[in-house]
Amino acid sequence: RSYQLAEPEPKPTEPGPPLEPVRSSRLFADLQEGKLRSKVFMTFLANPAYLYPEPQLTAKVLSDPSMVPFHVAIDSYVTETSALADIILPSATYLESWDIQSTPSCDLVPRVSIMQPVVGRQGESLPFHDMSIELARRIGGGMERYFDFGSMEAYVSAIASQVPGLTQAGGIGYLKENGYWSEPNARPTYRIYEKGGFSTPSGKFE
């Protein structure tokens, strides 16, 4: 079990073409064969030129401007993939960044946890979230209104303020001090799938 953390208002719409994320393992083969076309290709903490099943094909596609006209790589160090990019945006590591999340806990009591910087940023690096805020501001066209937080810390604070009970406990201040928050009187719920079934047509594990 976990909390469903909601986006602060105004909420952006789901991305569609031309900003559709692609996760197919055949991505680079499809680009080579002309089944997919790309104007701008972005990788984030990803190294397909090393990790994908056909690294030579991947590197060939990324090196060919007729298939990938413009490649932006966002990474915390230079990889085989980012070395082929037109622009590398240096990304800060998780030790230098803010985030908020609610993942299933081992004790079956839902909790909200915070990630906060423990060391200063190195060089000109920025956390990806802060890059997004700044890029949206520069690009404009209405996009910036969805990123009008000023900083990732303010965004985390806005999300934390929507969790019932967390605001009363102290919100982001409580998370900064304690690392996570859970409802004080919450108790584990066992055998939830045996009682309620799965969200499948049969209600069983398929």
Side-chain angles (χ1 to χ4, degrees), residues 23-143:
R23 299 181 180 88
S24 169
S25 59
R26 279 195 48 83
L27 168 64
F28 294 100
D30 287 345
L31 284 168
Q32 185 186 45
E33 296 166 11
K35 296 178 181 177
L36 282 176
R37 299 188 66 82
S38 171
K39 292 183 179 179
V40 176
F41 190 83
M42 185 182 80
T43 52
F44 171 61
L45 301 183
N47 190 11
Y50 178 77
L51 294 172
Y52 267 46
E54 296 183 86
Q56 294 88 354
L57 169 65
T58 302
K60 178 181 178 182
V61 171
L62 289 173
S63 302
D64 191 332
S66 68
M67 290 183 268
V68 178
F70 194 77
H71 175 198
V72 179
I74 302 172
D75 217 317
S76 50
Y77 56 94
V78 178
T79 65
E80 288 82 357
T81 298
S82 60
L84 301 171
D86 295 283
I87 290 180
I88 301 175
L89 298 179
S91 176
T93 68
Y94 71 96
L95 296 172
E96 307 157 281
S97 308
W98 289 93
D99 205 354
I100 186 171
Q101 55 192 349
S102 179
T103 56
S105 61
C106 295
D107 58 9
L108 300 183
V109 174
R111 61 180 55 177
V112 177
S113 59
I114 192 173
M115 184 172 78
Q116 53 188 324
V118 295
V119 294
R121 297 197 304 269
Q122 302 299 303
E124 298 180 0
S125 66
L126 276 178
F128 178 59
H129 303 95
D130 290 294
M131 288 185 198
S132 300
I133 292 171
E134 179 62 18
L135 286 171
R137 187 188 67 79
R138 293 190 187 190
I139 293 171
M143 184 192 308

Side-chain angles (χ1 to χ4, degrees), residues 130-181:
D130 290 294
M131 288 185 198
S132 300
I133 292 171
E134 179 62 18
L135 286 171
R137 187 188 67 79
R138 293 190 187 190
I139 293 171
M143 184 192 308
E144 68 280 7
R145 71 190 185 99
Y146 299 119
F147 294 82
D148 191 22
F149 299 101
S151 69
M152 187 58 184
E153 182 179 357
Y155 174 78
V156 167
S157 180
I159 292 180
S161 69
Q162 300 185 89
V163 179
L166 176 54
T167 300
Q168 289 75 10
I172 190 174
Y174 182 93
L175 291 175
K176 285 180 180 179
E177 184 176 347
N178 297 278
Y180 77 93
W181 171 87

